[in-house]
């Protein structure tokens, strides 16, 4: 689950960067960045529970 959150965060950051450089849609760009940061923080906060 932890690595899945990192993958989601990476995809969202890449999507944000592409949209930022292409200046596609204004508010959607920042929404993607916020979602990526939230997903990354969840990945950092949660500890792996597998034994």
């Amino acid at each position: 689950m932890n690595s899945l959150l990192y993958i989601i965060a990476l995809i969202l950051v890449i999507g944000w960067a592409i949209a930022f450089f292409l200046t596609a849609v204004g508010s959607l760009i920042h929404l993607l960045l916020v979602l990526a940061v939230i997903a990354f923080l969840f990945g950092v906060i949660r500890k792996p529970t597998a034994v």
Side-chain angles (χ1 to χ4, degrees):
M1 183 71 176
N2 206 5
S3 62
L4 179 63
L5 289 174
Y6 285 122
I7 292 171
I8 292 171
L10 180 64
I11 290 171
L12 289 173
V13 168
I14 290 172
W16 173 81
I18 290 171
F20 181 77
F21 289 118
L22 296 179
T23 61
V25 180
S27 62
L28 181 63
I29 296 166
H30 300 289
L31 181 63
L32 285 173
L33 178 62
V34 169
L35 290 175
V37 168
I38 290 171
F40 179 75
L41 289 176
F42 274 137
V44 169
I45 292 171
R46 290 188 177 193
K47 306 262 189 228
T49 57
V51 176

